[in-house]
Amino acid sequence: MATTHQADAKRMLDDRGYTGQLVRGQNPAQLMEKAVRDRITESYYWKEQCFGLNEASLCDRAVEITHIGGVTGTSQKPTPFLCLAFKLLQLLPERDIVLEFLHNEDFKYLRALAAFYVRLTFDPPDVYRTLEPLLEDYSKLKRRTRSGYQLTFIDQFVDDLLTKERVCATSLWKLPARQQLEDLDLLEERRSPLGEEIDEIDNEEEEGDGDGDGDGAGHGQREDEDEEEDGEVRNGRDGRRRTSEEVHG
């Protein structure tokens, strides 16, 4: 059974017999380098855990994984995360299913897997629109490297997908700069989540300065009024003193 599964995977990688959907003009399974594909299809996890998966059963497998990553150790063994990403490329699920994975708040590694798939297969404007909201997701992730584990976060992982050329042992196709897509009217200008907070702080500071000026003017006015009152008191006292002297005189 595992041998049949491996043969099916290899047939899909053979362009001579592939008649399925293309992604950017090529067989989607070939979006990963040949060396990585070979390691995946030769791995125990692929043969035993990825056989016969569909979108639903792949979701069940994805919620079981405990880390992201590409290949590990000196033998460059592929992680379950990478194997499932390759399986997604074979299945090419409907966009609604991918977005359902992406917005699942209960299983963060399923979200990370969907984000990786989005980066590999979606068009540039949709990559930005779909992944940028995850830059506000600070859930912790474990990243498996060749030498061990590292702590990372979903927002950092997504930032890597948007800015780096290689993630999880996979060379990513070149993503156009966001500004370039904005200039072509393919994307709206992105407003940072901190923008509103910064505006509020600026407004509070401006209001504070205005209140300070008003307080200063009021304070000066009160000082003038106090001086006038003091002068009236003094004048009143001087007048009473002069009247007293005139009487006594």
Side-chain angles (χ1 to χ4, degrees):
M1 183 178 296
T3 303
T4 302
H5 176 46
Q6 184 179 5
D8 289 342
K10 290 185 179 297
R11 277 199 298 272
M12 183 178 179
L13 295 172
D14 186 354
D15 282 336
R16 292 172 297 179
Y18 181 75
T19 58
Q21 182 179 347
L22 302 178
V23 175
R24 272 182 295 284
Q26 64 175 322
N27 181 340
Q30 294 187 349
L31 293 174
M32 293 184 178
E33 298 98 322
K34 183 179 185 305
V36 175
R37 299 195 307 260
D38 290 343
R39 292 189 181 96
I40 290 174
T41 56
E42 294 290 341
S43 69
Y44 174 83
Y45 185 88
W46 174 262
K47 295 175 183 178
E48 297 297 325
Q49 302 298 323
C50 296
F51 176 76
L53 291 182
N54 56 25
E55 289 89 343
S57 53
L58 184 143
C59 179
D60 294 336
R61 286 280 184 272
V63 301
E64 296 172 353
I65 62 178
T66 58
H67 54 272
I68 63 174
V71 295
T72 66
T74 55
S75 63
Q76 298 187 23
K77 175 184 175 181
T79 62
F81 179 87
L82 193 62
C83 291
L84 292 178
F86 183 64
K87 190 64 180 181
L88 275 176
L89 290 175
Q90 287 189 337
L91 294 173
L92 286 179
E94 296 292 333
R95 177 174 295 235
D96 290 344
I97 295 176
V98 176
L99 296 180
E100 185 176 347
F101 289 172
L102 192 73
H103 299 147
N104 189 307
E105 297 182 357
D106 296 324
F107 301 104
K108 57 188 178 182
Y109 289 102
L110 177 61
R111 294 204 304 278
L113 180 65
F116 188 61
Y117 178 81
V118 166
R119 177 62 177 85
L120 290 174
T121 61
F122 280 26
D123 292 332
D126 289 332
V127 168
Y128 284 104
R129 293 191 192 100
T130 307
L131 295 187
E132 283 179 339
L134 292 179
L135 294 173
E136 301 177 49
D137 188 339
Y138 309 119
S139 302
K140 294 180 180 179
L141 295 174
K142 281 198 302 184
R143 182 196 294 269
R144 184 69 188 271
T145 65
R146 293 189 181 184
S147 58
Y149 291 93
Q150 293 178 348
L151 174 65
T152 187
F153 303 86
I154 284 186
D155 67 312
Q156 180 60 57
F157 178 60
V158 170
D159 185 71
D160 290 345
L161 292 175
L162 294 175
T163 59
K164 292 188 176 181
E165 297 179 355
R166 189 172 181 84
V167 176
C168 293
T170 304
S171 294
L172 305 176
W173 56 275
K174 185 174 178 57
L175 186 67
R178 197 184 200 290
Q179 184 61 52
Q180 180 180 350
L181 297 178
E182 290 178 12
D183 293 341
L184 295 173
D185 293 330
L186 297 175
L187 270 182
E188 295 181 358
E189 182 179 356
R190 180 173 182 263
R191 184 170 178 81
S192 170
L194 297 178
E196 294 182 0
E197 296 183 14
I198 294 174
D199 290 342
E200 289 179 1
I201 293 174
D202 291 341
N203 291 335
E204 289 176 359
E205 290 179 351
E206 290 177 0
E207 291 175 0
D209 293 341
D211 293 341
D213 294 340
D215 291 344
H219 181 65
Q221 183 177 358
R222 285 193 297 271
E223 286 183 347
D224 293 340
E225 293 174 352
D226 291 341
E227 289 179 359
E228 290 178 0
E229 291 176 358
D230 291 342
E232 292 175 357
V233 171
R234 285 194 299 271
N235 292 336
R237 289 173 181 171
D238 291 343
R240 288 193 296 272
R241 186 179 301 113
R242 286 194 297 271
T243 303
S244 176
E245 289 174 355
E246 293 171 355
V247 171
H248 290 294

